[in-house]
Amino acid sequence: MERAVNEPVKAGGSLLPRLQRWLTPLIVPLILLAAWDICVRVTGTRLIPLPRDVAIMLYDFTFGGIYDDAFSKTIHIHFWKSVQRVYGGFFAAAAVGIPLGLLIGRIKLVRELIDPTLQILRPVPVTAWLPLSMIFFGLGPNAAIFLVFLGAFFPIVLNTTFGVRSVDHRLFEAASMLGCNGSSLFRQVVLPAATPSIFNGLRLGHGFAWILIVVGEMTGVPEGLGAVIMDGRTLSRTDLVISGMIVIGLAGFLSDRVIVAINNRLLAWSPQHHA
Amino acid sequence: MHEPALHRSARPTLAVKALSKRFSMGEQTVEALRDVNLTIGKGEFVCLIGASGCGKSTLLRIIAGFETASAGSVEMYGLPIAAPGPERGMVFQDFALFPWLTVKENIAFGPRQRGLPQSKLDEVSARYTDMVGLTKFANYYPSQLSGGMKQRVAIARVLANDCEVLLMDEPFGALDALTREKLQQELLEIWERTKVTVIFVTHSVEEAVVLSDRVVVMTAGPGRIEHDARIHLPRPREVSAIDFNQVRRDITQRLTSHVGVKAIPAAA
């Protein structure tokens, strides 16, 4: 009996390589921090704070007790508002985008009906929708959610369509000779075969959702990480602006890890789709 | 299906009658098969052999029901074939396993379509996983298997679905020589044990002579049957034996005669 290829390799191993795996990604951020610090000191600019000042601001933003102003100890409020809007828009985009993508991929009439319109709407930058979305939804969170929805929708619907369209034709032949037809063909072959593409779309869309929440919250909402950045700008509080940027970066990163973890679990069969 | 069961054994398992197939490619029409007649009995091991373009794969795909004939018909137990069905199981060169299913789930795929209960599915998949010697790998995904193992799964998958005619389209073409030889032996053992009818497409004369009861030589332009030879060599067959070589030379000659190429003995 020949050996199976691609035997699953257990993660972990000895301490040193594991330490290395954790430390390597930290090198570049540390260099950037150092460069930032040096540049500010050398130029003597007062427009950009030192990393240390941003750290203090972040601490105050999180725990309070330093500046005791309108932003002290408010991170959870802004964070929670943004998360709700990001996921509200993202889940709405998935709820519409995945079924629509499946239909476009499977049914010729739907494809001919909808695909050209999508292709025309797709290149329009989502930020260009901002004025219209404010007219549609007024000043407030709904306009932001709508932008997030639009940003996440296109990658999800396009990748889902692609996944359905690119199922290996042999698999349909194999399924039909094994007695699998009609709606069970869709459930047992098309859907699982398209899953890697669907997840690609979800991951891309989720990234866009975090980008667009800032744009969305820059107009007329009192709370949210985007609003914090906008307030920081108005008040010339660059430390606050950078704090907001860091929180968004971390939040986007962590919530991407969640999607990747779900992806890896659902797609254990397909090592090349592991992110 | 409405025929009395009694008459079945009296009929050939599979009959290809005056079969023609034309493809249109743009303005051109390609005649892939012209007036092919072939009758295959129950439990026979038949190899279709020929150069590329002779229509052997097309013939197999029409028998499988993946493609329709332009004229003529294929009948199984006297009933015309119109669509793919579980009684004709195809084994593809590129395996075509469902990558999201484990070995045992792939094997149970066909029976699952018939709505068997889970306990029965487990029993069937365990039996056929064992038949192809993959019990240890039952919970592996195809991406974790070697080519030879994948092809064993593909064979078990159609056998588990009670296939009566095993259609194999250059099934070992993508495998290395050692694995190929091993799988040929395993296929022969499975064939002897299950008495399934096998139609095996290959372009290797040696493979055809090692395996089959009957070698059908096809030629191209348009695809048709050139020669139909019974192989009377006793099994197991030894490829270096003198009588084996004789048969191989004969068939190689048939294969190359129509293009005017001198047969090169033992070079197939």
Side-chain angles (χ1 to χ4, degrees), chain A residues 1-8 168 170-171 173-180 184 188-189 192-193 268-272, chain B residues 61 66 84-86 90 92 94 96-100 109-110 113 133 137 140-141 143-146 152 157-158 161 179:
Chain A
M1 172 66 57
E2 67 255 59
R3 211 172 54 84
V5 290
N6 236 329
E7 297 263 13
D168 183 1
R170 286 258 183 279
L171 294 183
E173 292 183 348
S176 71
M177 87 186 172
L178 294 167
C180 180
S184 67
Q188 293 189 61
V189 179
W269 52 271
S270 171
Q272 66 265 41
Chain B
R61 290 176 56 78
F66 296 148
M90 177 76 108
F92 302 92
D94 50 5
L97 299 175
F98 302 110
W100 55 88
F109 188 92
Q113 307 311 314
F137 300 95
Y140 278 51
Y141 289 106
S143 63
Q144 298 171 303
L145 303 177
S146 67
R152 289 192 184 93
R157 177 173 71 173
V158 289
N161 205 29
T179 309

Side-chain angles (χ1 to χ4, degrees), chain B residues 82-134:
Chain B
E87 73 285 357
R88 285 158 288 127
M90 177 76 108
V91 174
F92 302 92
Q93 180 173 7
D94 50 5
F95 321 119
L97 299 175
F98 302 110
W100 55 88
L101 300 180
T102 60
V103 167
K104 67 174 185 199
E105 289 166 341
N106 262 289
I107 293 173
F109 188 92
R112 182 181 295 277
Q113 307 311 314
R114 300 200 304 263
L116 296 186
Q118 189 60 47
S119 58
K120 188 81 182 139
L121 291 179
D122 289 340
E123 187 191 313
V124 171
S125 70
R127 180 160 75 241
Y128 286 93
T129 309
D130 181 57
M131 182 186 276
V132 294
L134 288 176

Side-chain angles (χ1 to χ4, degrees), chain A residues 27-43:
Chain A
I27 294 173
V28 174
L30 286 176
I31 290 174
L32 287 177
L33 270 181
W36 168 10
D37 192 85
I38 291 166
C39 287
V40 172
R41 282 178 203 277
V42 168
T43 59

Side-chain angles (χ1 to χ4, degrees), chain B residues 26-100:
Chain B
E27 310 234 313
Q28 277 189 318
T29 304
V30 177
E31 199 170 10
L33 293 170
R34 181 190 287 175
D35 193 28
V36 170
N37 290 283
L38 185 64
T39 304
I40 293 169
K42 192 163 175 56
E44 253 190 317
F45 197 129
V46 179
C47 272
L48 302 181
I49 190 167
S52 13
C54 70
K56 56 193 191 297
S57 288
T58 305
L59 176 56
L60 201 69
R61 290 176 56 78
I62 293 172
I63 295 173
F66 296 148
E67 278 170 42
T68 50
S70 306
S73 65
V74 179
E75 292 173 3
M76 192 159 168
Y77 301 125
L79 298 164
I81 283 168
E87 73 285 357
R88 285 158 288 127
M90 177 76 108
V91 174
F92 302 92
Q93 180 173 7
D94 50 5
F95 321 119
L97 299 175
F98 302 110
W100 55 88

